Amino acid sequence: MTLLIQEEELTLSACDLVAINPFEAFAVTALTEDTHTIVLRIPVEILQNAESSYRLSNISCRLLADESEQGCEMKRLFAELFWHDAKNEAGAEIVIQSLLYQLLYCLMKNFSQKRDIPFSPGSKAFDRVKRATKYLREHFREKLTLQSVAETIDVTPGHLSRTFKECMSVSFSEYLTQLRLQEVVREFRQESTKSITEIAFDVGFGNINSFYVAFHKAFHMTPSAFRSAGWREKQQPFLLAEMKTLLQYRDNRETKQDTEPGGKRGVYVLPVTVNAAAKGTAFPHTWQKIINVGYAGEIISANVQRQLRIMQESIGFTHLRFHGILDDDINIYNEDENGKPVLYFTYLDMILDFLDSIGLKPYLELSFIPSKLAKTLHSPFAHRAYISGVTSLEKWRYLIRGIVTHCVERYGLGNVKQWYFSFLGFNWVQCGYVPEHAMSLDEYYELYLAAYQEIKKVNPAFSVGGPATDSFTLEEDTLASIEEWLAVCAKHNCPPDFIALHCYPVVGQDMMRSNRSNGKSNTMMMSSTAFTSRSEDENYIAHHLKMLKQILRKTGLSKTRIMIDEWNSSLWQRDPISDTCFRSACIAKNIIENAADVTAMAQAFVSDYSIETYPEKEPFYGDIGIFTNNDVRKNVFYVYKLFSRLGNVKIASGDGWAAFRRDRTIQLVLYYYCGYNRILGYTVTDFAKSDRYFVFSEREDKEYSFRFHGLERGEYILRVWRINRGNGSAYDKWVQMGSPQNLTAEEIGYLDRISEPAYYKRQIQYEDQALPFTVQPHEVALVEIEPVQVLKFIP
């Protein structure tokens, strides 16, 4: 990597550190994809506060392969600054401020070059220069001259010119040019769509020739060469392996006790008052409406069937959603020797019969395209599932009509009226995940509309919805919008009975770019290093629901039901954090905050077992199932089990808590959601199997102090369940077992048994006192306060 500073050219290697003085023109070139730089920008105002005579000094710090005492101290301070900023722990601002001033002191003590000027920092002349530089920074885009700025600060042009040069080491015009060039470089780094000429004039250059001369003098290349070199400023997290060379300079004074479960942490107290007699608001159990299995073929698996039975016995859902009912492994569609469609329902019946036996109704996604009907055998998956246009629209209609008619005949009209139908997700063509030659937008619309019409022909009361697309498409530029999909539906008189949306917290542009360039969508799900970009929005679902509702209001569909047909804390099936307690707190938070705004929230997925990905040897490899492959219940299972106890009235809520009422019982849910830090949190990457919590912001324990107005005094049964790193988390128990790769049947049973939530029950006398409850980071707790029933015997 090459760094240009004024007339100086430096070749940088790993852990080199360079200080650049304010308003020195600089540029980075010869930057490869695997090169990462960390830039610490210190505002001039802070420099002046730190050292009133800073303007009397220039810093000359070029630590290239420098392991001197002063050099190592600079790198240590820099590494500590980076570490504490990235960790985003409580009180980090104070630590960072302290380290920043230590860094400035070290710079000024060891690397400053003093120079003499004829006035002191507190003088009127110095103050005028400060006013002039402030004015220039705020107005550099305008047509400025030495004369106009001098008049603004009430000095003569000659006086300003002389004192400016003496104080800043550059002339007035050189300083103004550097400000404008910095803005040009910023535009280039942000991939502005403006032309070079437009940018030059926008930042204040009077003519293009003077701009080219100034740019070449500063950067030793033309603006077009600089722009085409591909230098882009991408503020994205670093992988742990890439940080090790820098972090080796840190003082490693932290102990494992700080981050391990049960380690010492601070506590802060939150007093809360709840009106137990409040009317409250409805809290429908929409998270129990639908659950997801990946593919229809997985439902035939004994493992998945066993896990579904446990889910129904312990929690109870109404519908099961899955992909791939039309895939070749279900063998519904075939053609005879004359090309005439032939339909077989053996495997379909096996699947639907099983669901019926455990009280689940199907949410039938009509996907993907059978090979005998596909225009081209394009599969973005590792297994055979095709996304393509069809060879015959009439055969497609025959297939859909045949399936729906068979289901009515076998399961009854009243039963099928309670089912949901949808089609292949719109995101496949909307985001360009499949090439246009396989399936175009027009072909997608044609197939969706035909399926809709055939289902409604069997019975108009059947529920058909869509577009089953990614939530980020609400805000990103895609090949088509949800508004366009709705317009097509309206044009053909096919209004959706519900709107289906996937809600995974990802950055859409990176998601689309990775899928398009890779061409294998499920490769992105399987690989933990395929691409970065988790969303930093901790209220991702709430914000995207708000966007969707705005669209529905504009299109006259505000009363249409909204179903989140897939959601989770992560999209990727090899995301190490998915096994941690972060996920349980994230799921709890989003259910409590969003359940009342939708008809359904369908968690993805029941099982880690998936035909979409290859199985791993160890039981916890970052998949997003509620069960591991070998039937061990993860922490999220217990969140759903505890939440199934909640009443249907929410009486109050606040930061990390909500209060409910079930009959005469008051219930509290406490959840301590801790977001990612900036070191690794927004990437998906491989790291140690047994050390996955360091990617989260560090937080103190919370102690809630609850007082209940309207709660009668008397005797109550207090029940408390806790899901945290010590209890209710199979992953953390597996780590305590030594992270064994291969578990025996006996060990699997043992691990599942010891991974249940902590539970205690006691009788209390409530006399209007505060009730304290402490929660750890990533913890979910359920508290129930139930009045003791006094039995009266009548003789």
Side-chain angles (χ1 to χ4, degrees):
M1 180 181 121
T2 302
L3 177 65
L4 303 174
I5 308 176
Q6 302 287 77
E7 303 295 325
E8 186 179 9
E9 181 174 313
L10 303 173
T11 300
L12 303 185
S13 302
C15 282
D16 286 347
L17 190 149
V18 175
I20 302 170
N21 287 286
F23 310 110
E24 285 184 335
F26 73 96
V28 178
T29 61
L31 194 65
T32 61
E33 284 293 324
D34 58 350
T35 302
H36 291 80
T37 60
I38 303 175
V39 179
L40 172 64
R41 293 187 176 95
I42 306 176
V44 173
E45 291 76 15
I46 291 181
L47 298 174
Q48 292 172 336
N49 290 337
E51 172 68 66
S52 61
S53 61
Y54 178 76
R55 288 296 183 196
L56 312 185
S57 305
N58 272 339
I59 298 297
S60 179
C61 179
R62 309 287 191 264
L63 301 178
L64 310 184
D66 187 317
E67 295 299 320
S68 64
E69 182 179 348
Q70 293 93 339
C72 287
E73 175 64 6
M74 281 292 299
K75 293 176 183 178
R76 182 191 72 79
L77 291 168
F78 194 89
E80 290 286 350
L81 266 168
F82 171 72
W83 176 259
H84 286 284
D85 176 67
K87 278 175 58 178
N88 195 27
E89 74 252 325
E93 297 84 357
I94 298 173
V95 177
I96 290 169
Q97 189 175 36
S98 171
L99 289 167
L100 180 60
Y101 281 105
Q102 290 181 60
L103 183 73
L104 291 175
Y105 174 76
C106 188
L107 274 172
M108 294 175 184
K109 177 183 177 183
N110 299 314
F111 302 99
S112 63
Q113 295 179 330
K114 297 286 184 181
R115 53 191 174 83
D116 296 325
I117 62 172
F119 46 81
S120 65
S123 66
K124 289 183 178 180
F126 191 86
D127 181 63
R128 287 169 182 153
V129 173
K130 285 177 62 177
R131 288 164 54 202
T133 56
K134 183 176 184 295
Y135 186 84
L136 289 173
R137 291 196 299 273
E138 294 173 351
H139 298 274
F140 66 87
R141 294 179 182 275
E142 303 170 13
K143 185 178 180 179
L144 299 177
T145 64
L146 180 65
Q147 176 77 33
S148 65
V149 176
E151 290 176 357
T152 300
I153 63 172
D154 198 25
V155 296
T156 65
H159 178 78
L160 177 60
S161 176
R162 184 180 69 256
T163 55
F164 198 101
K165 176 74 173 180
E166 290 171 342
C167 183
M168 301 298 294
S169 298
V170 293
S171 69
F172 173 91
S173 60
E174 289 172 330
Y175 181 88
L176 179 57
T177 297
Q178 289 172 5
L179 284 176
R180 289 168 172 167
L181 288 176
Q182 285 185 1
E183 183 63 15
V184 170
V185 171
R186 190 188 69 81
E187 291 268 6
F188 287 170
R189 290 173 178 171
Q190 294 186 350
E191 304 185 54
S192 171
T193 57
K194 299 177 185 176
S195 69
I196 291 176
T197 300
E198 287 177 309
I199 293 173
F201 285 130
D202 284 350
V203 302
F205 282 98
N207 64 77
I208 198 66
N209 288 334
S210 63
F211 164 66
Y212 270 86
V213 170
F215 196 97
H216 196 278
K217 180 180 178 181
F219 301 114
H220 307 289
M221 65 178 71
T222 65
S224 57
F226 183 98
R227 196 178 202 182
S228 63
W231 203 128
R232 299 290 184 265
E233 187 175 73
K234 297 180 180 177
Q235 295 188 14
Q236 52 183 325
F238 295 86
L239 304 182
L240 182 62
E242 296 164 348
M243 297 187 300
K244 284 182 178 177
T245 50
L246 171 65
L247 297 180
Q248 67 183 345
Y249 291 97
R250 287 187 62 240
D251 282 343
N252 193 17
R253 297 168 183 167
E254 299 174 6
T255 66
K256 283 192 173 182
Q257 188 181 30
D258 296 320
T259 55
E260 287 184 348
K264 273 191 172 181
R265 284 183 293 266
V267 177
Y268 65 96
V269 179
L270 297 172
V272 179
T273 300
V274 175
N275 182 1
K279 182 178 179 181
T281 58
F283 189 71
H285 285 210
T286 55
W287 67 91
Q288 285 182 259
K289 188 78 174 177
I290 304 170
I291 194 70
N292 276 281
V293 165
Y295 289 83
E298 297 167 14
I299 302 174
I300 300 174
S301 159
N303 275 37
V304 173
Q305 290 192 2
R306 189 163 53 246
Q307 293 166 14
L308 283 170
R309 283 195 181 94
I310 295 172
M311 293 285 283
Q312 287 302 91
E313 292 167 0
S314 302
I315 302 164
F317 293 85
T318 61
H319 291 75
L320 182 72
R321 178 178 174 271
F322 46 90
H323 309 297
I325 198 67
L326 305 182
D327 286 357
D328 287 355
D329 60 348
I330 307 301
N331 287 325
I332 293 178
Y333 185 85
N334 209 331
E335 294 181 2
D336 63 19
E337 62 274 9
N338 298 317
K340 183 179 179 180
V342 180
L343 305 183
Y344 300 93
F345 301 112
T346 302
Y347 292 136
L348 174 65
D349 292 347
M350 289 173 60
I351 293 168
L352 299 185
D353 286 354
F354 169 71
L355 298 187
D356 188 62
S357 73
I358 61 172
L360 280 171
K361 295 176 174 60
Y363 179 128
L364 280 182
E365 181 193 273
L366 299 170
S367 66
F368 290 87
I369 306 300
S371 61
K372 290 290 181 68
L373 191 54
K375 178 183 69 174
T376 178
L377 297 182
H378 175 81
S379 176
F381 307 102
H383 62 289
R384 293 188 303 160
Y386 304 109
I387 299 179
S388 166
V390 296
T391 56
S392 168
L393 188 60
E394 286 308 310
K395 292 178 179 179
W396 170 253
R397 287 180 176 275
Y398 178 85
L399 169 62
I400 302 304
R401 184 169 61 252
I403 291 174
V404 178
T405 301
H406 171 77
C407 290
V408 170
E409 292 173 351
R410 185 174 180 87
Y411 301 102
L413 180 62
N415 193 346
V416 179
K417 280 184 178 180
Q418 300 176 63
W419 298 9
Y420 298 114
F421 295 90
S422 69
F423 178 49
L424 168 74
F426 186 44
N427 52 341
W428 290 105
V429 292
Q430 179 188 19
C431 301
Y433 295 161
V434 295
E436 189 173 9
H437 71 80
M439 177 182 279
S440 67
L441 275 169
D442 287 341
E443 286 175 312
Y444 179 90
Y445 292 137
E446 185 178 58
L447 293 178
Y448 173 78
L449 294 170
Y452 181 101
Q453 291 161 359
E454 294 303 321
I455 294 169
K456 293 290 188 176
K457 282 179 184 177
V458 177
N459 193 291
F462 290 166
S463 292
V464 186
T469 192
D470 294 316
S471 50
F472 65 74
T473 62
L474 295 167
E475 56 185 334
E476 301 285 3
D477 291 330
T478 55
L479 300 178
S481 64
I482 290 181
E483 292 96 321
E484 179 179 324
W485 181 86
L486 290 169
V488 170
C489 293
K491 179 181 177 181
H492 293 85
N493 195 27
C494 295
D497 295 307
F498 59 89
I499 300 297
L501 194 69
H502 309 336
C503 276
Y504 295 103
V506 298
V507 176
Q509 286 297 331
D510 286 351
M511 175 77 175
M512 290 187 289
R513 181 167 52 248
S514 298
N515 275 340
R516 289 170 184 170
S517 62
N518 189 282
K520 290 281 187 182
S521 174
N522 88 305
T523 304
M524 311 321 311
M525 316 306 170
M526 291 169 56
S527 173
S528 58
T529 55
F531 59 98
T532 62
S533 309
R534 293 186 181 100
S535 171
E536 298 183 31
D537 185 356
E538 295 187 352
N539 298 301
Y540 181 92
I541 292 180
H543 290 156
H544 285 77
L545 284 176
K546 183 178 180 180
M547 293 179 206
L548 178 59
K549 289 181 178 182
Q550 289 173 346
I551 292 172
L552 296 179
R553 280 195 296 270
K554 289 179 183 177
T555 53
L557 297 171
S558 58
K559 294 184 179 180
T560 305
R561 293 172 292 172
I562 296 174
M563 295 191 184
I564 300 178
D565 61 356
E566 288 184 26
W567 74 287
N568 211 316
S569 60
S570 177
L571 169 65
W572 299 278
Q573 290 165 301
R574 291 296 184 274
D575 187 346
I577 67 159
S578 292
D579 296 317
T580 69
C581 285
F582 163 83
R583 182 180 169 197
S584 54
C586 179
I587 297 305
K589 164 183 159 59
N590 279 288
I591 287 176
I592 286 174
E593 295 176 0
N594 301 293
D597 294 325
V598 295
T599 301
M601 295 181 71
Q603 177 76 180
F605 294 95
V606 168
S607 183
D608 284 353
Y609 173 80
S610 172
I611 62 174
E612 192 173 70
T613 60
Y614 301 109
E616 301 285 348
K617 294 180 180 179
E618 63 269 8
F620 298 95
Y621 49 85
D623 213 327
I624 56 177
I626 295 174
F627 289 82
T628 65
N629 278 330
N630 47 22
D631 295 351
V632 175
R633 292 167 288 184
K634 299 185 187 180
N635 50 55
V636 177
F637 172 89
Y638 294 109
V639 172
Y640 274 87
K641 184 174 181 180
L642 293 182
F643 275 34
S644 68
R645 298 179 61 89
L646 294 179
N648 293 316
V649 177
K650 182 165 70 171
I651 57 177
S653 61
D655 181 19
W657 66 272
F660 303 86
R661 185 167 53 240
R662 190 192 68 203
D663 299 327
R664 296 181 63 200
T665 300
I666 298 298
Q667 300 169 308
L668 296 174
V669 172
L670 311 176
Y671 56 95
Y672 198 162
Y673 175 86
C674 297
Y676 307 107
N677 64 42
R678 291 184 290 271
I679 296 178
L680 189 61
Y682 299 110
T683 69
V684 180
T685 185
D686 292 311
F687 45 87
K689 290 184 291 187
S690 59
D691 185 14
R692 301 183 185 178
Y693 285 93
F694 71 93
V695 303
F696 303 110
S697 300
E698 291 188 4
R699 294 289 184 265
E700 299 171 325
D701 289 356
K702 287 182 184 178
E703 181 179 304
Y704 292 94
S705 179
F706 281 94
R707 287 188 178 276
F708 298 92
H709 289 170
L711 187 65
E712 295 180 3
R713 300 187 181 198
E715 293 185 347
Y716 289 82
I717 300 297
L718 180 68
R719 300 183 182 89
V720 181
W721 294 263
R722 292 184 179 275
I723 303 168
N724 52 39
R725 295 180 65 182
N727 303 279
S729 174
Y731 162 73
D732 290 286
K733 291 296 185 183
W734 173 69
V735 171
Q736 292 177 23
M737 287 173 63
S739 309
Q741 187 175 81
N742 296 306
L743 297 175
T744 65
E746 182 180 0
E747 290 169 336
I748 291 169
Y750 170 75
L751 177 59
D752 190 54
R753 287 193 302 275
I754 66 172
S755 300
E756 293 192 358
Y759 172 69
Y760 75 84
K761 171 184 173 181
R762 62 189 175 94
Q763 189 163 317
I764 63 170
Q765 183 70 31
Y766 181 73
E767 299 292 343
D768 201 30
Q769 75 271 28
L771 298 180
F773 301 101
T774 301
V775 288
Q776 304 170 8
H778 312 297
E779 183 170 14
V780 178
L782 173 63
V783 178
E784 291 187 348
I785 305 168
E786 181 182 2
V788 173
Q789 301 295 321
V790 178
L791 299 179
K792 296 181 179 180
F793 296 93
I794 300 175

